[in-house]
């Protein structure tokens, strides 16, 4: 990834079968470094049912066979680091498990994000006998990030990939998780959720420097 105006430039890496895979990234990383890239940003490559382009993750701690293996991901990070390229991965956690609810009033999400696809943010689970909330699709039920055990699991997922050579994560769908966190604790308007996940370097908007180069 390199900066092009206000946007990062992106490249797609393909294997011999025409499908992007982790094995193809290291083979092209030298080219990326020569054109000025300093970061490789990997989109979701986790085990998935692929009902939503891989966003419907089944296992956040493993690599989908269609993209490679865990060894491929570790080799990718090692070879990128030799070229002074950092590696960040997409953290897709808003849609991980079903959150059953008695009430179907939720100020954090007044209506469907995809109104042309879903007519409600609530789906009834016959097994649980309760409704669960989904921001996007009914097969992607929302996390309740206000629960300590849920946040501990997210932190564990981040640590899992950091231990395998990844330098950082890009958290998907933050605008939908922060209001949910604020319902549990109003500190920092819900941004305490991100502060807790990334202690020491992430700051909420109210405390950021006006310097446009400050990482956010």
């Amino acid at each position: 990834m390199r900066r092009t105006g206000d946007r990062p430039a992106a490249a797609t890496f393909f294997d011999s079968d025409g499908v992007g895979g982790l094995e193809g990234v290291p083979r092209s990383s030298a080219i990326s470094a020569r054109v000025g890239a300093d970061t490789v940003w990997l989109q979701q490559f986790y085990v998935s049912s692929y009902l939503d382009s891989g966003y419907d993750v089944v296992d956040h701690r493993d690599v989908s066979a269609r993209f490679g293996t865990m060894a491929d991901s570790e080799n990718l990070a090692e070879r990128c680091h030799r070229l002074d390229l950092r590696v960040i991965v997409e953290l897709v956690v808003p849609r991980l498990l079903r959150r059953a609810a008695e009430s179907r009033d939720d100020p954090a999400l007044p209506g469907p994000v995809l109104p042309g696809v879903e007519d409600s943010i609530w789906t009834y689970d016959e097994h649980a006998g309760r409704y669960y909330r989904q921001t996007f699709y009914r097969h992607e039920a929302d996390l309740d990030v206000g629960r300590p055990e849920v946040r501990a699991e997210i932190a564990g997922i981040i640590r899992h990939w950091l231990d395998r050579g990844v330098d950082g994560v890009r958290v998907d769908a933050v605008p939908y998780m922060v209001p949910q966190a604020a319902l549990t604790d109003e500190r920092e308007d819900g941004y305490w959720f991100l502060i807790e996940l990334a202690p020491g370097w992430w700051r909420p908007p109210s405390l950021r420097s006006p310097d446009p180069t400050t990482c956010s």
Side-chain angles (χ1 to χ4, degrees), residues 79-127:
R79 292 181 62 178
C80 285
H81 290 159
R82 292 176 191 170
L83 296 168
D84 292 326
L85 290 170
R86 293 169 294 181
V87 179
I88 63 174
V89 298
E90 189 84 348
L91 182 67
V92 184
V93 293
R95 299 156 274 191
L96 179 63
L97 53 79
R98 294 183 174 184
R99 180 173 66 91
E102 296 287 355
S103 171
R104 285 184 283 163
D105 294 323
D106 197 331
L109 188 66
V113 174
L114 304 170
V117 179
E118 300 287 353
D119 57 7
S120 174
I121 62 171
W122 296 99
T123 298
Y124 186 73
D125 186 314
E126 293 185 359
H127 179 74

Side-chain angles (χ1 to χ4, degrees), residues 11-28 40-46 50 53 63-69 72 76:
T12 302
F13 303 97
F14 295 100
D15 292 333
S16 58
D17 61 0
V19 178
L22 298 180
E23 187 179 359
V25 177
R27 291 201 298 266
S28 304
V40 174
W41 172 13
L42 301 176
Q43 295 296 295
Q44 57 278 6
F45 54 82
Y46 315 107
Y50 295 106
S53 302
V63 177
S64 169
R66 70 168 59 184
F67 297 122
T69 66
D72 290 333
L76 183 158

Side-chain angles (χ1 to χ4, degrees), residues 41 43-44 46-58 60 90-96 137 139-140 170 172-173:
W41 172 13
Q43 295 296 295
Q44 57 278 6
Y46 315 107
V47 179
S48 169
S49 55
Y50 295 106
L51 297 174
D52 182 21
S53 302
Y55 282 98
D56 47 324
V57 179
V58 174
H60 287 81
E90 189 84 348
L91 182 67
V92 184
V93 293
R95 299 156 274 191
L96 179 63
Y137 299 101
H139 56 268
E140 296 172 348
R170 182 264 182 188
D172 177 58

Side-chain angles (χ1 to χ4, degrees), residues 144-148 151 178-187 190 192:
D144 183 356
V145 296
R147 299 178 67 89
R151 299 196 302 276
V178 168
Q180 186 65 45
L183 296 180
T184 302
D185 187 333
E186 295 181 350
R187 285 179 298 125
W192 60 265

